[in-house]
């Protein structure tokens, strides 16, 4: 790897961890194909590549977990207004801050928030969680996510019942 490429990769690591993980895994794959012998023989490249890929997956799971928590609590806030609590507000705020930290650390994770299918999958999990936690009928909860990404991330947004 050339010095310039290494410097670019190191910069990427500092600016966007998730993008660095993806790039590093791809470089390892290319190196494995290009130089199947030499010093690479001493490395367990298959498992090394898989572990690097798993680093990225863990970032994505962290994003999805924080998003699911925000969504489930926003649903409870909206549909069980009589049970609103400071604890719910703390959870919503904490997880929004976690989302912000993840996106600051890995801006390329933003693409998941722009992916309607990914958001829908996460929302369906949050909806199921809210149904179980509230014991309300699933008919009470919107089938599609009733919140925009901007609302989900907005530290000051809390839905009203009539919204």
């Amino acid at each position: 790897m050339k010095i310039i490429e290494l410097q670019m990769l190191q910069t990427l690591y500092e600016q966007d961890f998730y993008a660095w993980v993806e790039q590093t895994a791809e470089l390892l794959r290319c190196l494995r194909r290009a130089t199947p012998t030499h010093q690479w023989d001493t490395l367990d490249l298959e498992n090394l590549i898989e572990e690097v890929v798993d680093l990225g997956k863990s970032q994505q799971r962290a994003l999805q977990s924080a998003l699911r928590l925000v969504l489930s609590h926003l649903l409870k806030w909206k549909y069980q207004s009589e049970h609103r609590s400071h604890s719910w507000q703390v959870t919503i705020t904490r997880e929004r801050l976690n989302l912000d930290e993840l996106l600051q650390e890995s801006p390329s994770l933003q693409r998941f928030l722009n992916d309607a299918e990914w958001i829908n999958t996460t929302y369906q999990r949050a909806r199921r969680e809210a149904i179980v936690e509230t014991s309300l009928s699933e008919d009470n909860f919107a089938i599609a996510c009733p919140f925009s990404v901007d609302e989900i991330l907005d530290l000051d947004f809390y839905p009203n019942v009539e919204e």
Side-chain angles (χ1 to χ4, degrees):
M1 188 181 311
K2 297 177 186 158
I3 301 280
I4 294 171
E5 291 172 347
L6 179 59
Q7 288 172 341
M8 288 173 44
L9 201 55
Q10 289 170 338
T11 300
L12 190 58
Y13 178 85
E14 294 167 8
Q15 294 177 351
D16 190 336
F17 181 74
Y18 187 76
W20 174 85
V21 164
E22 291 182 312
Q23 184 65 41
T24 299
E26 186 55 35
L27 285 170
L28 286 169
R29 286 186 195 101
C30 289
L31 286 170
R32 177 190 61 206
R33 289 189 296 269
T35 57
T37 57
H38 303 67
Q39 72 271 22
W40 293 104
D41 289 342
T42 61
L43 291 175
D44 179 2
L45 277 178
E46 292 304 318
N47 287 319
L48 178 59
I49 292 167
E50 188 60 35
E51 289 300 320
V52 170
V53 168
D54 283 347
L55 287 172
K57 288 179 183 175
S58 71
Q59 290 278 298
Q60 184 182 347
R61 280 191 301 271
L63 181 74
Q64 194 163 41
S65 177
L67 180 64
R68 191 189 77 248
L69 275 168
V70 170
L71 287 171
S72 67
H73 278 72
L74 288 176
L75 288 170
K76 292 188 310 183
W77 190 273
K78 179 175 176 127
Y79 295 112
Q80 274 200 321
S81 58
E82 68 279 4
H83 295 292
R84 288 178 182 168
S85 69
H86 181 68
S87 171
W88 288 0
Q89 195 170 13
V90 167
T91 298
I92 291 167
T93 300
R94 181 187 63 237
E95 295 308 315
R96 282 174 166 161
L97 292 171
N98 285 340
L99 285 166
D100 183 61
E101 287 174 9
L102 281 164
L103 293 169
Q104 290 294 322
E105 180 180 296
S106 298
S108 60
L109 287 171
Q110 181 69 43
R111 72 173 178 245
F112 293 106
L113 297 181
N114 298 330
D115 181 337
E117 186 177 326
W118 190 86
I119 291 285
N120 182 57
T121 297
T122 305
Y123 173 73
Q124 295 309 318
R125 291 175 180 153
R127 181 177 180 261
R128 175 60 47 198
E129 191 174 286
I131 290 167
V132 170
E133 285 188 30
T134 63
S135 299
L136 294 172
S137 165
E138 66 183 53
D139 296 334
N140 289 310
F141 298 93
I143 292 173
C145 185
F147 315 114
S148 70
V149 171
D150 288 340
E151 289 172 333
I152 294 165
L153 299 176
D154 183 348
L155 288 170
D156 297 320
F157 172 77
Y158 290 89
N160 294 318
V161 177
E162 62 275 357
E163 287 180 346

